[in-house]
Amino acid sequence: MPIAVDIDVMLAKRKMSVGELADRVGITPANLAVLKNGRAKAVRFATLAALCEVLECQPGDLLRWEAENTADADVSDNGRETPVGTGA
């Protein structure tokens, strides 16, 4: 997924446990783990705001965009992706 979650980085900087953060934000440790490990499909703005408030950070400190791996495909002149090495 192109969105990386850096909650663990902020937890380390704040010397805070996952359990403590979950308690202070008001979500379950299991749901926080899903978010922290990048398995969440969505995050509510209210949850993101609570995380930022407790961790005293900005949303960009917790979430960042990473380009997906494009080493396996080239984009041809017509804008369609073609696999590398096919000669297409």
Side-chain angles (χ1 to χ4, degrees), residues 23-80:
D23 285 343
R24 292 179 62 185
V25 169
I27 62 176
T28 66
N31 283 339
L32 182 57
V34 167
L35 180 59
K36 184 176 86 70
N37 295 324
R39 295 188 317 259
K41 299 292 182 195
V43 60
R44 294 176 190 258
F45 281 165
T47 302
L48 183 59
L51 288 166
C52 290
E53 182 177 355
V54 170
L55 293 170
E56 298 178 349
C57 65
Q58 295 295 313
D61 296 326
L62 302 176
L63 304 173
R64 63 186 155 79
W65 178 80
E66 290 182 343
E68 292 191 46
N69 185 0
T70 58
D72 296 333
D74 285 338
V75 177
S76 65
D77 290 340
N78 63 8
R80 293 181 307 184

